[in-house]
Coordinates of all heavy atoms in Angstrom, one line a residue:
M8 N 1.2 -9.6 12.5 CA 1.3 -10.0 11.2 C 2.7 -10.4 10.9 O 3.7 -9.9 11.3 CB 0.9 -8.8 10.2 CG 1.1 -9.2 8.9 SD 1.1 -7.9 7.7 CE 0.1 -6.7 8.3
T9 N 2.8 -11.6 10.2 CA 4.1 -12.1 9.8 C 4.7 -11.3 8.7 O 3.9 -10.8 7.8 CB 4.0 -13.6 9.4 OG1 3.1 -13.7 8.3 CG2 3.5 -14.5 10.6
E10 N 6.0 -11.3 8.6 CA 6.7 -10.6 7.4 C 6.5 -11.4 6.2 O 6.6 -12.7 6.3 CB 8.1 -10.3 7.8 CG 8.3 -9.2 8.8 CD 7.9 -7.9 8.4 OE1 8.2 -7.5 7.2 OE2 7.3 -7.2 9.2
M11 N 6.4 -10.8 5.1 CA 6.4 -11.5 3.8 C 7.8 -11.8 3.4 O 8.6 -10.8 3.5 CB 5.5 -10.8 2.8 CG 5.3 -11.6 1.6 SD 4.2 -10.6 0.4 CE 2.7 -10.8 1.1
D12 N 8.1 -12.9 2.9 CA 9.3 -13.3 2.4 C 9.7 -12.4 1.2 O 8.9 -12.1 0.4 CB 9.3 -14.8 1.9 CG 10.6 -15.2 1.4 OD1 11.5 -15.6 2.2 OD2 10.8 -15.3 0.2
I13 N 11.1 -11.9 1.1 CA 11.5 -11.0 0.1 C 11.3 -11.6 -1.2 O 10.8 -10.9 -2.3 CB 13.0 -10.6 0.3 CG1 13.0 -9.7 1.6 CG2 13.5 -9.9 -0.9 CD1 14.5 -9.4 2.0
D14 N 11.6 -13.0 -1.4 CA 11.4 -13.6 -2.7 C 10.0 -13.6 -3.1 O 9.5 -13.4 -4.3 CB 12.0 -15.0 -2.7 CG 13.4 -15.0 -2.6 OD1 14.1 -14.0 -3.0 OD2 14.0 -15.9 -2.0
K15 N 9.0 -13.8 -2.1 CA 7.6 -13.8 -2.3 C 7.1 -12.5 -2.8 O 6.3 -12.3 -3.7 CB 6.8 -14.3 -1.1 CG 5.3 -14.3 -1.3 CD 4.9 -15.4 -2.1 CE 3.3 -15.5 -2.0 NZ 2.8 -16.4 -2.9
E16 N 7.6 -11.4 -2.1 CA 7.3 -10.0 -2.5 C 7.7 -9.8 -4.0 O 6.9 -9.2 -4.7 CB 8.0 -9.0 -1.6 CG 7.3 -8.8 -0.2 CD 7.9 -7.7 0.5 OE1 8.8 -7.0 0.1 OE2 7.4 -7.4 1.6
K17 N 8.9 -10.1 -4.3 CA 9.4 -9.8 -5.7 C 8.6 -10.6 -6.7 O 8.2 -10.0 -7.7 CB 10.9 -10.3 -5.8 CG 11.4 -10.0 -7.2 CD 12.9 -10.3 -7.3 CE 13.5 -10.1 -8.6 NZ 12.6 -9.7 -9.8
E18 N 8.2 -11.8 -6.4 CA 7.3 -12.6 -7.2 C 6.0 -12.0 -7.5 O 5.5 -11.8 -8.5 CB 7.1 -14.1 -6.8 CG 6.2 -14.8 -7.5 CD 5.6 -16.1 -6.7 OE1 6.2 -16.5 -5.8 OE2 4.5 -16.5 -7.1
L19 N 5.4 -11.5 -6.3 CA 4.1 -10.9 -6.4 C 4.2 -9.5 -7.2 O 3.3 -9.2 -7.9 CB 3.6 -10.7 -5.0 CG 3.1 -11.9 -4.3 CD1 2.7 -11.6 -2.9 CD2 1.9 -12.6 -5.0
M20 N 5.3 -8.7 -7.0 CA 5.4 -7.5 -7.7 C 5.6 -7.8 -9.2 O 5.1 -7.1 -10.0 CB 6.6 -6.7 -7.1 CG 6.2 -6.0 -5.8 SD 4.7 -5.2 -5.7 CE 5.0 -3.8 -6.9
D21 N 6.3 -8.8 -9.5 CA 6.5 -9.2 -11.0 C 5.1 -9.5 -11.6 O 4.8 -9.1 -12.7 CB 7.4 -10.3 -11.2 CG 8.9 -9.9 -10.8 OD1 9.2 -8.7 -10.8 OD2 9.8 -10.8 -10.6
R22 N 4.3 -10.3 -10.8 CA 3.0 -10.7 -11.3 C 2.1 -9.5 -11.4 O 1.3 -9.4 -12.4 CB 2.5 -11.8 -10.4 CG 3.1 -13.0 -10.5 CD 2.7 -14.1 -9.5 NE 1.2 -14.3 -9.4 CZ 0.6 -14.7 -8.4 NH1 1.3 -15.3 -7.3 NH2 -0.7 -14.8 -8.3
I23 N 2.1 -8.5 -10.5 CA 1.4 -7.4 -10.5 C 1.7 -6.5 -11.8 O 0.9 -6.0 -12.4 CB 1.5 -6.4 -9.2 CG1 0.9 -7.2 -8.1 CG2 1.0 -5.1 -9.4 CD1 1.1 -6.6 -6.7
A24 N 3.0 -6.5 -12.0 CA 3.5 -5.7 -13.2 C 2.9 -6.4 -14.5 O 2.8 -5.7 -15.5 CB 5.0 -5.7 -13.3
A25 N 2.6 -7.6 -14.5 CA 2.0 -8.4 -15.6 C 0.5 -8.4 -15.5 O -0.1 -9.3 -16.1 CB 2.6 -9.8 -15.6
D26 N 0.0 -7.5 -14.8 CA -1.5 -7.4 -14.6 C -2.3 -8.4 -13.9 O -3.4 -8.8 -14.2 CB -2.1 -7.1 -16.0 CG -1.6 -5.9 -16.7 OD1 -1.1 -4.9 -16.0 OD2 -1.7 -5.9 -18.0
D27 N -1.6 -9.1 -13.0 CA -2.1 -10.2 -12.3 C -3.0 -9.6 -11.1 O -2.4 -9.3 -10.0 CB -1.0 -11.1 -11.8 CG -1.6 -12.4 -11.1 OD1 -2.7 -12.4 -10.5 OD2 -1.0 -13.5 -11.1
H28 N -4.3 -9.7 -11.1 CA -5.1 -9.2 -10.1 C -5.0 -10.0 -8.8 O -5.1 -9.5 -7.7 CB -6.6 -9.1 -10.6 CG -6.8 -8.1 -11.6 ND1 -7.2 -6.9 -11.4 CD2 -6.7 -8.3 -13.0 CE1 -7.4 -6.2 -12.5 NE2 -7.1 -7.0 -13.5
Q29 N -4.8 -11.3 -9.0 CA -4.7 -12.2 -7.7 C -3.5 -11.9 -7.0 O -3.5 -11.8 -5.8 CB -4.6 -13.6 -8.2 CG -5.9 -14.4 -8.2 CD -5.8 -15.9 -8.3 OE1 -4.8 -16.3 -9.1 NE2 -6.6 -16.6 -7.8
A30 N -2.4 -11.5 -7.6 CA -1.2 -11.1 -6.9 C -1.4 -9.8 -6.1 O -1.0 -9.7 -4.9 CB 0.0 -11.0 -7.8
F31 N -2.1 -8.8 -6.8 CA -2.4 -7.6 -6.1 C -3.3 -7.8 -4.9 O -3.1 -7.3 -3.8 CB -3.1 -6.7 -7.1 CG -3.5 -5.3 -6.4 CD1 -2.6 -4.3 -6.3 CD2 -4.8 -5.1 -5.9 CE1 -2.9 -3.1 -5.6 CE2 -5.2 -3.9 -5.4 CZ -4.2 -2.9 -5.2
T32 N -4.3 -8.8 -5.0 CA -5.1 -9.1 -3.9 C -4.4 -9.7 -2.8 O -4.6 -9.3 -1.6 CB -6.2 -10.0 -4.4 OG1 -7.0 -9.4 -5.4 CG2 -7.1 -10.4 -3.2
Q33 N -3.3 -10.5 -3.1 CA -2.5 -11.1 -2.0 C -1.8 -10.0 -1.2 O -1.8 -10.0 0.0 CB -1.5 -12.1 -2.5 CG -2.2 -13.4 -2.9 CD -1.1 -14.4 -3.5 OE1 -0.3 -14.0 -4.3 NE2 -1.3 -15.6 -3.1
I34 N -1.2 -9.1 -1.9 CA -0.5 -7.9 -1.4 C -1.5 -7.1 -0.5 O -1.2 -6.8 0.7 CB 0.2 -7.0 -2.4 CG1 1.3 -7.8 -3.1 CG2 0.7 -5.7 -1.8 CD1 2.5 -8.0 -2.4
Y35 N -2.6 -6.8 -1.1 CA -3.6 -6.0 -0.3 C -4.0 -6.7 0.9 O -4.0 -6.1 2.0 CB -4.9 -5.7 -1.3 CG -5.9 -5.0 -0.6 CD1 -5.8 -3.5 -0.6 CD2 -7.0 -5.5 0.0 CE1 -6.8 -2.8 0.0 CE2 -8.0 -4.8 0.7 CZ -7.9 -3.5 0.7 OH -8.8 -2.7 1.3
E36 N -4.4 -7.9 0.9 CA -4.9 -8.7 2.0 C -3.9 -8.8 3.1 O -4.1 -8.8 4.3 CB -5.5 -10.0 1.6 CG -6.8 -9.9 0.9 CD -7.3 -11.2 0.4 OE1 -6.6 -12.3 0.5 OE2 -8.5 -11.3 -0.1
H37 N -2.6 -8.9 2.7 CA -1.5 -9.0 3.6 C -1.2 -7.7 4.4 O -0.9 -7.8 5.5 CB -0.3 -9.5 2.9 CG 0.9 -9.9 3.9 ND1 0.9 -11.1 4.6 CD2 1.9 -9.2 4.3 CE1 1.9 -11.2 5.4 NE2 2.6 -10.0 5.2
Y38 N -1.3 -6.6 3.7 CA -0.9 -5.4 4.3 C -1.9 -4.3 4.6 O -1.6 -3.3 5.3 CB 0.1 -4.7 3.3 CG 1.5 -5.4 3.2 CD1 1.8 -6.1 2.1 CD2 2.3 -5.3 4.3 CE1 3.1 -6.7 2.0 CE2 3.5 -5.9 4.3 CZ 3.9 -6.6 3.1 OH 5.1 -7.2 3.1
W39 N -3.2 -4.6 4.2 CA -4.2 -3.4 4.4 C -4.4 -3.1 5.8 O -4.5 -1.9 6.2 CB -5.5 -3.7 3.6 CG -6.4 -4.6 4.3 CD1 -6.4 -6.0 4.1 CD2 -7.4 -4.3 5.2 NE1 -7.4 -6.5 4.9 CE2 -8.0 -5.5 5.7 CE3 -7.8 -3.1 5.9 CZ2 -9.0 -5.5 6.6 CZ3 -8.8 -3.2 6.8 CH2 -9.4 -4.3 7.1
K40 N -4.4 -4.0 6.8 CA -4.8 -3.7 8.1 C -3.6 -3.0 8.8 O -3.9 -1.9 9.5 CB -5.0 -5.0 9.0 CG -6.3 -5.6 8.8 CD -6.4 -6.8 9.7 CE -7.8 -7.5 9.4 NZ -7.9 -8.7 10.2
S41 N -2.4 -3.3 8.6 CA -1.2 -2.6 9.1 C -1.2 -1.2 8.6 O -0.8 -0.3 9.3 CB 0.1 -3.4 9.0 OG 0.4 -3.6 7.7
M42 N -1.5 -1.0 7.3 CA -1.4 0.3 6.7 C -2.6 1.2 7.3 O -2.3 2.3 7.5 CB -1.5 0.2 5.2 CG -0.3 -0.5 4.5 SD 1.3 0.2 4.9 CE 2.0 -1.2 5.8
L43 N -3.7 0.6 7.5 CA -4.8 1.3 8.1 C -4.4 1.8 9.5 O -4.7 2.9 9.8 CB -6.1 0.4 8.1 CG -7.4 1.2 8.6 CD1 -7.7 2.3 7.8 CD2 -8.6 0.2 8.6
L44 N -3.8 0.9 10.2 CA -3.3 1.3 11.6 C -2.3 2.5 11.6 O -2.4 3.4 12.4 CB -2.7 0.1 12.3 CG -3.7 -0.9 12.8 CD1 -3.0 -2.2 13.4 CD2 -4.7 -0.4 13.8
I45 N -1.4 2.4 10.6 CA -0.5 3.5 10.5 C -1.2 4.8 10.1 O -1.0 5.8 10.8 CB 0.6 3.2 9.4 CG1 1.5 2.1 9.9 CG2 1.3 4.5 9.0 CD1 2.4 1.5 8.7
A46 N -2.1 4.8 9.2 CA -2.9 6.0 8.8 C -3.7 6.5 10.0 O -3.7 7.7 10.2 CB -3.7 5.7 7.6
W47 N -4.4 5.6 10.6 CA -5.3 5.9 11.8 C -4.4 6.6 12.8 O -4.8 7.5 13.5 CB -6.1 4.7 12.3 CG -7.0 5.2 13.3 CD1 -8.2 5.8 13.1 CD2 -6.8 5.2 14.7 NE1 -8.9 6.0 14.3 CE2 -8.0 5.7 15.3 CE3 -5.7 4.8 15.5 CZ2 -8.1 5.8 16.7 CZ3 -5.9 4.9 16.9 CH2 -7.0 5.4 17.5
G48 N -3.2 5.9 13.1 CA -2.4 6.5 14.2 C -1.9 7.9 13.9 O -1.8 8.7 14.9
H49 N -1.9 8.3 12.7 CA -1.5 9.7 12.3 C -2.7 10.6 12.3 O -2.6 11.8 12.5 CB -0.8 9.8 11.0 CG 0.6 9.2 10.9 ND1 1.6 10.0 11.5 CD2 1.1 8.1 10.6 CE1 2.7 9.2 11.3 NE2 2.4 8.1 10.8
T50 N -3.9 10.1 12.0 CA -5.1 10.9 11.8 C -6.1 10.9 12.9 O -6.7 11.9 13.1 CB -5.9 10.5 10.5 OG1 -6.3 9.3 10.6 CG2 -4.9 10.6 9.3
K51 N -6.2 9.8 13.5 CA -7.3 9.5 14.4 C -8.7 9.7 13.8 O -9.7 10.0 14.5 CB -7.1 10.4 15.7 CG -5.9 10.2 16.4 CD -5.6 8.9 16.9 CE -4.5 8.8 17.8 NZ -3.4 7.8 17.5
D52 N -8.7 9.5 12.5 CA -9.9 9.7 11.7 C -10.0 8.5 10.9 O -9.3 8.4 9.8 CB -9.8 11.0 10.9 CG -11.1 11.3 10.1 OD1 -11.7 10.3 9.6 OD2 -11.3 12.5 9.7
K53 N -11.1 7.7 11.2 CA -11.2 6.4 10.5 C -11.5 6.5 9.0 O -10.9 5.9 8.1 CB -12.3 5.6 11.1 CG -12.4 4.2 10.5 CD -13.6 3.4 11.1 CE -13.7 2.1 10.4 NZ -15.1 1.6 10.4
T54 N -12.4 7.5 8.6 CA -12.6 7.7 7.2 C -11.5 8.2 6.4 O -11.2 7.7 5.4 CB -13.9 8.6 7.1 OG1 -14.9 8.1 7.9 CG2 -14.3 8.8 5.7
L55 N -10.8 9.1 7.0 CA -9.6 9.7 6.3 C -8.5 8.5 6.1 O -7.9 8.4 5.1 CB -9.0 10.8 7.0 CG -7.7 11.4 6.5 CD1 -7.9 11.9 5.0 CD2 -7.3 12.6 7.3
A56 N -8.4 7.8 7.2 CA -7.3 6.7 7.2 C -7.7 5.7 6.1 O -6.9 5.3 5.3 CB -7.3 6.0 8.5
E57 N -9.0 5.3 6.0 CA -9.4 4.4 5.0 C -9.3 4.9 3.6 O -8.8 4.2 2.7 CB -10.9 4.0 5.2 CG -11.1 3.2 6.4 CD -12.6 3.0 6.8 OE1 -13.5 3.7 6.2 OE2 -12.9 2.0 7.6
D58 N -9.5 6.2 3.4 CA -9.4 6.8 2.1 C -7.9 6.9 1.7 O -7.6 6.6 0.5 CB -9.9 8.3 2.1 CG -11.5 8.3 2.2 OD1 -12.1 7.3 2.0 OD2 -12.0 9.4 2.5
V59 N -7.0 7.2 2.6 CA -5.6 7.3 2.2 C -5.1 5.9 1.9 O -4.4 5.7 0.9 CB -4.8 7.9 3.4 CG1 -3.4 7.7 3.3 CG2 -5.1 9.4 3.5
V60 N -5.5 4.9 2.7 CA -5.0 3.5 2.4 C -5.5 3.1 1.0 O -4.8 2.5 0.2 CB -5.4 2.5 3.5 CG1 -5.2 1.1 3.1 CG2 -4.7 2.8 4.8
H61 N -6.8 3.4 0.8 CA -7.4 3.0 -0.5 C -6.6 3.7 -1.7 O -6.3 3.1 -2.7 CB -8.9 3.4 -0.5 CG -9.6 3.2 -1.9 ND1 -9.9 1.9 -2.3 CD2 -9.9 4.0 -2.8 CE1 -10.5 1.9 -3.5 NE2 -10.5 3.2 -3.8
E62 N -6.4 5.0 -1.5 CA -5.7 5.7 -2.5 C -4.3 5.2 -2.8 O -3.8 5.0 -3.9 CB -5.5 7.2 -2.0 CG -4.7 8.1 -2.9 CD -4.5 9.5 -2.3 OE1 -5.5 10.0 -1.9 OE2 -3.3 9.9 -2.2
V63 N -3.5 4.8 -1.8 CA -2.2 4.2 -1.9 C -2.2 2.9 -2.7 O -1.4 2.7 -3.6 CB -1.5 4.2 -0.5 CG1 -0.3 3.2 -0.6 CG2 -1.1 5.5 0.1
F64 N -3.2 2.1 -2.3 CA -3.2 0.8 -3.0 C -3.6 1.0 -4.5 O -3.2 0.3 -5.4 CB -4.2 -0.2 -2.3 CG -3.4 -0.9 -1.2 CD1 -3.7 -0.6 0.1 CD2 -2.6 -2.0 -1.5 CE1 -3.0 -1.3 1.2 CE2 -2.0 -2.7 -0.5 CZ -2.2 -2.3 0.9
M65 N -4.5 2.0 -4.7 CA -4.9 2.3 -6.1 C -3.7 2.8 -6.9 O -3.6 2.4 -8.0 CB -6.1 3.3 -6.2 CG -7.4 2.8 -5.6 SD -8.0 1.4 -6.6 CE -8.2 2.1 -8.2
R66 N -3.0 3.7 -6.3 CA -1.7 4.2 -7.0 C -0.8 3.0 -7.3 O -0.1 3.0 -8.3 CB -1.1 5.2 -6.2 CG -1.7 6.6 -6.4 CD -0.8 7.7 -6.0 NE -0.1 7.4 -4.7 CZ -0.3 8.0 -3.6 NH1 -1.2 8.9 -3.5 NH2 0.5 7.7 -2.6
L67 N -0.7 2.1 -6.3 CA 0.3 1.0 -6.6 C -0.2 0.1 -7.8 O 0.6 -0.2 -8.6 CB 0.2 0.0 -5.3 CG 1.0 -1.3 -5.5 CD1 2.5 -1.0 -5.6 CD2 0.8 -2.2 -4.2
W68 N -1.6 -0.1 -7.9 CA -2.0 -0.8 -9.0 C -1.9 0.0 -10.4 O -1.4 -0.4 -11.3 CB -3.5 -1.2 -8.8 CG -4.0 -2.0 -10.0 CD1 -4.9 -1.4 -11.0 CD2 -3.7 -3.3 -10.5 NE1 -5.2 -2.4 -12.0 CE2 -4.4 -3.5 -11.7 CE3 -2.9 -4.3 -10.0 CZ2 -4.3 -4.7 -12.4 CZ3 -2.8 -5.5 -10.6 CH2 -3.6 -5.7 -11.8
T69 N -2.3 1.2 -10.3 CA -2.3 2.1 -11.5 C -0.9 2.2 -12.1 O -0.7 2.3 -13.2 CB -2.8 3.6 -11.2 OG1 -4.2 3.4 -10.6 CG2 -2.9 4.5 -12.3
N70 N 0.1 2.3 -11.1 CA 1.5 2.5 -11.6 C 2.3 1.3 -11.5 O 3.6 1.3 -11.4 CB 2.2 3.6 -10.7 CG 1.5 4.9 -10.9 OD1 1.3 5.4 -11.9 ND2 1.2 5.6 -9.7
R71 N 1.7 0.1 -11.6 CA 2.3 -1.2 -11.5 C 3.4 -1.4 -12.5 O 4.4 -2.1 -12.2 CB 1.3 -2.3 -11.5 CG 0.6 -2.4 -12.8 CD -0.6 -3.4 -12.7 NE -1.3 -3.4 -14.0 CZ -2.4 -2.4 -14.3 NH1 -2.6 -1.5 -13.4 NH2 -3.0 -2.5 -15.4
N72 N 3.4 -0.8 -13.6 CA 4.4 -1.0 -14.6 C 5.6 0.0 -14.5 O 6.6 -0.2 -15.2 CB 3.8 -0.9 -16.0 CG 2.8 -2.0 -16.3 OD1 3.0 -3.2 -15.9 ND2 1.7 -1.6 -16.8
N73 N 5.5 0.9 -13.6 CA 6.5 2.0 -13.5 C 7.3 1.9 -12.3 O 8.0 2.8 -11.9 CB 5.8 3.4 -13.6 CG 5.0 3.6 -14.9 OD1 5.4 3.0 -15.9 ND2 4.0 4.4 -14.8
R74 N 7.2 0.8 -11.5 CA 7.8 0.7 -10.1 C 8.9 -0.4 -10.1 O 8.7 -1.4 -10.7 CB 6.7 0.5 -9.2 CG 5.7 1.5 -9.2 CD 5.2 1.8 -7.8 NE 4.2 2.8 -7.8 CZ 4.4 4.1 -7.5 NH1 5.6 4.6 -7.2 NH2 3.3 4.9 -7.4
Q75 N 9.9 -0.1 -9.3 CA 10.9 -1.0 -9.0 C 11.0 -1.1 -7.5 O 11.8 -0.5 -6.8 CB 12.2 -0.7 -9.6 CG 12.3 -0.8 -11.1 CD 12.1 -2.2 -11.5 OE1 12.5 -3.2 -10.9 NE2 11.4 -2.4 -12.6
I76 N 9.9 -1.7 -6.9 CA 9.8 -1.7 -5.4 C 10.6 -3.0 -4.9 O 10.4 -4.0 -5.3 CB 8.4 -1.8 -5.0 CG1 7.6 -0.6 -5.5 CG2 8.2 -2.0 -3.4 CD1 6.1 -0.7 -5.3
Q77 N 11.5 -2.7 -3.9 CA 12.3 -3.7 -3.3 C 11.7 -4.2 -2.0 O 11.9 -5.4 -1.7 CB 13.7 -3.2 -3.0 CG 14.5 -2.7 -4.3 CD 14.7 -3.7 -5.3 OE1 15.0 -4.9 -4.9 NE2 14.5 -3.4 -6.5
N78 N 11.0 -3.4 -1.3 CA 10.3 -3.8 -0.1 C 8.9 -3.1 -0.1 O 8.7 -1.9 0.1 CB 11.2 -3.2 1.1 CG 10.7 -3.5 2.4 OD1 9.5 -3.6 2.6 ND2 11.5 -3.8 3.4
I79 N 8.0 -4.0 -0.3 CA 6.5 -3.5 -0.4 C 6.1 -2.9 0.9 O 5.4 -1.8 0.8 CB 5.6 -4.7 -0.7 CG1 5.9 -5.2 -2.0 CG2 4.2 -4.3 -0.7 CD1 5.3 -6.6 -2.5
K80 N 6.4 -3.4 2.1 CA 6.0 -2.9 3.3 C 6.5 -1.4 3.5 O 5.7 -0.5 3.8 CB 6.4 -3.8 4.5 CG 5.8 -3.2 5.8 CD 6.2 -4.2 6.9 CE 5.7 -3.7 8.3 NZ 6.1 -4.6 9.4
A81 N 7.8 -1.3 3.3 CA 8.4 0.1 3.4 C 7.8 1.0 2.4 O 7.5 2.2 2.8 CB 9.9 -0.1 3.3
F82 N 7.6 0.5 1.2 CA 7.0 1.5 0.2 C 5.6 1.9 0.5 O 5.3 3.1 0.5 CB 6.9 0.6 -1.2 CG 6.1 1.4 -2.2 CD1 6.5 2.4 -2.9 CD2 4.7 1.0 -2.4 CE1 5.6 3.2 -3.8 CE2 3.9 1.7 -3.2 CZ 4.4 2.7 -4.0
L83 N 4.8 0.9 1.1 CA 3.4 1.3 1.4 C 3.4 2.3 2.6 O 2.6 3.2 2.7 CB 2.6 0.0 1.8 CG 2.3 -0.9 0.6 CD1 1.7 -2.2 1.0 CD2 1.4 -0.2 -0.4
Q84 N 4.3 2.0 3.7 CA 4.3 2.8 4.8 C 4.7 4.3 4.4 O 4.1 5.3 4.9 CB 5.3 2.3 5.8 CG 4.9 1.1 6.4 CD 6.0 0.4 7.3 OE1 7.2 0.6 7.1 NE2 5.7 -0.4 8.3
T85 N 5.7 4.3 3.5 CA 6.1 5.7 3.1 C 5.1 6.4 2.3 O 4.8 7.6 2.4 CB 7.5 5.6 2.3 OG1 8.4 4.9 3.1 CG2 7.9 6.9 1.8
A86 N 4.4 5.7 1.4 CA 3.3 6.2 0.6 C 2.2 6.8 1.5 O 1.6 7.8 1.2 CB 2.8 5.2 -0.4
I87 N 1.8 6.0 2.6 CA 0.8 6.4 3.4 C 1.2 7.8 4.1 O 0.4 8.7 4.1 CB 0.6 5.3 4.6 CG1 0.0 4.0 4.0 CG2 -0.3 5.9 5.7 CD1 -1.4 4.1 3.6
K88 N 2.4 7.8 4.6 CA 2.9 9.1 5.2 C 2.9 10.3 4.3 O 2.4 11.3 4.6 CB 4.2 8.9 5.9 CG 4.1 7.9 7.1 CD 5.5 7.6 7.7 CE 5.3 6.5 8.7 NZ 6.6 6.1 9.3
Y89 N 3.4 10.1 3.1 CA 3.4 11.2 2.1 C 2.0 11.6 1.7 O 1.7 12.7 1.5 CB 4.2 10.8 0.9 CG 5.7 11.0 1.1 CD1 6.6 9.9 1.1 CD2 6.3 12.2 1.4 CE1 7.9 10.0 1.2 CE2 7.6 12.4 1.7 CZ 8.5 11.3 1.5 OH 9.8 11.5 1.8
S90 N 1.1 10.6 1.6 CA -0.3 10.9 1.2 C -0.9 11.8 2.3 O -1.7 12.7 2.1 CB -1.1 9.7 1.0 OG -0.6 9.0 -0.2
L91 N -0.6 11.4 3.6 CA -1.2 12.3 4.7 C -0.5 13.6 4.8 O -1.3 14.6 5.0 CB -0.9 11.5 6.0 CG -1.8 10.2 6.2 CD1 -1.3 9.4 7.4 CD2 -3.2 10.6 6.4
F92 N 0.7 13.7 4.5 CA 1.4 15.0 4.4 C 0.7 15.9 3.4 O 0.4 17.1 3.6 CB 2.8 14.9 4.2 CG 3.7 14.3 5.3 CD1 4.8 13.6 5.0 CD2 3.3 14.4 6.6 CE1 5.5 13.0 6.0 CE2 4.0 13.8 7.6 CZ 5.1 13.1 7.3
A93 N 0.5 15.3 2.2 CA -0.2 16.0 1.1 C -1.6 16.5 1.5 O -2.0 17.6 1.2 CB -0.2 15.2 -0.2
H94 N -2.3 15.6 2.1 CA -3.6 15.9 2.6 C -3.6 17.1 3.5 O -4.4 18.0 3.5 CB -4.3 14.7 3.3 CG -5.6 15.1 4.0 ND1 -6.8 15.2 3.3 CD2 -5.9 15.3 5.3 CE1 -7.7 15.5 4.1 NE2 -7.2 15.5 5.3
Y95 N -2.7 17.1 4.6 CA -2.6 18.2 5.5 C -2.2 19.4 4.9 O -2.6 20.5 5.3 CB -1.8 17.8 6.7 CG -2.5 16.7 7.6 CD1 -1.8 15.5 7.9 CD2 -3.8 16.9 8.0 CE1 -2.4 14.6 8.7 CE2 -4.4 15.9 8.8 CZ -3.7 14.8 9.2 OH -4.4 13.8 9.9
R96 N -1.3 19.4 3.9 CA -0.9 20.6 3.2 C -2.0 21.3 2.5 O -2.1 22.5 2.5 CB 0.2 20.3 2.2 CG 1.5 20.8 2.4 CD 2.5 20.6 1.2 NE 2.3 19.2 0.8 CZ 3.2 18.3 0.6 NH1 4.4 18.6 1.0 NH2 2.9 17.2 0.2
K97 N -2.9 20.5 2.0 CA -4.1 21.1 1.2 C -5.0 21.8 2.2 O -5.6 22.8 1.8 CB -4.9 19.9 0.6 CG -4.2 19.4 -0.7 CD -5.1 18.3 -1.3 CE -4.4 17.6 -2.5 NZ -5.2 16.6 -3.0
E98 N -5.1 21.3 3.4 CA -6.0 21.9 4.4 C -5.5 23.2 5.0 O -4.9 23.8 5.2 CB -6.3 21.0 5.5 CG -7.3 19.8 5.0 CD -7.8 18.9 6.1 OE1 -7.4 19.1 7.3 OE2 -8.7 18.2 5.9

């Protein structure tokens, strides 16, 4: 997967903060596969990996007005890992 340009990321995050569903869809379509691979690599459980990725993207949308994300990929990767840690702590 190609890296997304920093200026493009900033533009998309600004649009997401302005409730632009298309911008969110662009972010989702660009990153969901790589985030699923990260989650699956930690869990080896497809269903759990899918749930965690879905949850992270939902939180991104839900909290779109409260975030100052500089690097979307790094944010998503970190959110995936913390979500998995939280899941395993509960078990």
Side-chain angles (χ1 to χ4, degrees):
M8 173 194 329
T9 60
E10 289 294 316
M11 188 177 284
D12 180 82
I13 292 172
D14 292 330
K15 178 72 171 173
E16 280 190 0
K17 182 174 179 356
E18 173 202 338
L19 289 172
M20 288 308 298
D21 289 344
R22 288 174 47 201
I23 289 171
D26 300 333
D27 186 332
H28 292 269
Q29 267 189 323
F31 179 80
T32 300
Q33 285 181 318
I34 294 288
Y35 180 84
E36 288 176 352
H37 188 81
Y38 287 111
W39 78 269
K40 281 184 186 178
S41 61
M42 295 306 116
L43 184 60
L44 287 174
I45 290 169
W47 185 84
H49 287 284
T50 65
K51 303 298 188 231
D52 179 332
K53 183 181 179 209
T54 302
L55 176 57
E57 289 172 344
D58 289 347
V59 166
V60 170
H61 177 76
E62 175 187 310
V63 165
F64 277 102
M65 288 300 298
R66 278 197 322 250
L67 176 64
W68 178 256
T69 301
N70 297 313
R71 65 192 171 278
N72 296 316
N73 301 333
R74 303 219 182 258
Q75 291 297 326
I76 299 170
Q77 301 298 319
N78 182 320
I79 296 171
K80 182 177 180 181
F82 168 80
L83 292 171
Q84 290 171 335
T85 303
I87 295 287
K88 290 175 187 175
Y89 280 118
S90 292
L91 288 171
F92 294 150
H94 170 78
Y95 288 129
R96 240 187 325 236
K97 287 180 189 174
E98 288 191 351

